[in-house]
Amino acid sequence: MYYKHHVFFCINRRDSGEVCCAQRGSEAMQAYAKDRIKSLRRSGPGGVRINKAGCLDRCDLGPCMVVYPEAVWYTYVDKQDIDEIIDSHLIHGRVVERLLLP
Amino acid sequence: MYYKHHVFFCINRRDSGEVCCAQRGSEAMQAYAKDRIKSLRRSGPGGVRINKAGCLDRCDLGPCMVVYPEAVWYTYVDKQDIDEIIDSHLIHGRVVERLLLP
């Protein structure tokens, strides 16, 4: 396992006003998560990788991200949600039930 | 498990001539793989998703992709390699040993 947790944020932007993750601030949240993992010194091989991704095709439930290899899907609203996913799941291995996608 | 196999192609482009996956044709190969999975009718929930991703941070071994949840990392050169990964791994569940990243 190259990364313990490999996280993909959808940062797709759709045209013509359709619902998309980028419209809901996903790019800023991905950048925030990446910086936070780095400042916590959890980035890199054996640790956590925070990636941008194209459309994960769950637009209606977005903004969304997925954590592999465990295949846990989350939505989020703000930095507090990102902090909770990082602290609980990515650092301590406890899934954040309230933010799971159905 | 929302997707049986969720594939992320690094399509990152680095500036100033540094080695990167985009330089080695990753965007065209991602598009090719996505089209092929669609034509094989294996796309969608319960099937295969072919995604673009930002830098997977294994640039020196690129172009690279990763298949989750199994966390199998591949490199590839051409469409024949992509076809083999699709037919062997994504359709029949057999890892393509010769294309694995070390």
Side-chain angles (χ1 to χ4, degrees):
Chain A
M1 196 72 63
Y2 191 72
Y3 297 119
K4 185 173 181 185
H5 299 292
H6 200 166
V7 183
F8 295 89
F9 279 73
C10 177
I11 58 156
N12 191 51
R13 185 174 296 280
R14 296 166 86 190
D15 295 331
S16 66
E18 289 177 293
V19 163
C20 66
C21 292
Q23 189 187 55
R24 293 157 173 168
S26 64
E27 291 168 296
M29 288 298 139
Q30 187 270 340
Y32 174 76
K34 188 171 184 179
D35 287 348
R36 182 129 199 280
I37 288 294
K38 190 173 179 186
S39 73
L40 290 169
R41 301 187 182 186
R42 297 299 182 116
S43 58
V48 176
R49 177 80 183 166
I50 306 287
N51 257 111
K52 296 177 185 176
C55 181
L56 300 176
D57 208 20
R58 304 192 73 178
C59 312
D60 292 342
L61 300 170
C64 66
M65 73 168 83
V66 58
V67 185
Y68 282 113
E70 55 268 56
V72 169
W73 292 75
Y74 289 118
T75 189
Y76 54 89
V77 170
D78 52 23
K79 289 182 182 177
Q80 282 182 298
D81 290 343
I82 300 297
D83 286 343
E84 187 172 346
I85 291 167
I86 289 174
D87 294 342
S88 178
H89 186 154
L90 303 182
I91 305 297
H92 293 104
R94 293 189 303 262
V95 169
V96 182
E97 303 283 343
R98 74 178 185 87
L99 296 175
L100 288 176
L101 288 199
Chain B
M1 197 72 62
Y2 192 72
Y3 297 120
K4 185 174 181 185
H5 299 292
H6 200 168
V7 183
F8 295 88
F9 280 72
C10 179
I11 57 156
N12 192 51
R13 186 173 295 279
R14 294 165 89 189
D15 295 330
S16 66
E18 289 177 292
V19 163
C20 66
C21 292
Q23 190 187 55
R24 293 157 172 169
S26 64
E27 291 167 296
M29 288 298 140
Q30 187 269 339
Y32 175 76
K34 188 171 184 177
D35 287 348
R36 184 131 197 280
I37 289 293
K38 190 175 179 184
S39 72
L40 291 169
R41 300 186 181 188
R42 297 299 183 116
S43 57
V48 177
R49 176 82 183 166
I50 306 287
N51 257 111
K52 297 177 184 175
C55 180
L56 300 176
D57 208 20
R58 304 193 73 177
C59 312
D60 292 342
L61 300 169
C64 66
M65 73 168 81
V66 58
V67 185
Y68 281 113
E70 54 268 57
V72 169
W73 291 76
Y74 288 118
T75 189
Y76 54 89
V77 170
D78 52 23
K79 289 180 181 178
Q80 283 182 298
D81 289 345
I82 300 296
D83 285 345
E84 187 171 347
I85 291 167
I86 289 174
D87 293 343
S88 179
H89 186 153
L90 302 181
I91 305 297
H92 293 104
R94 293 190 301 262
V95 169
V96 183
E97 302 282 344
R98 73 177 185 88
L99 296 175
L100 289 177
L101 289 199

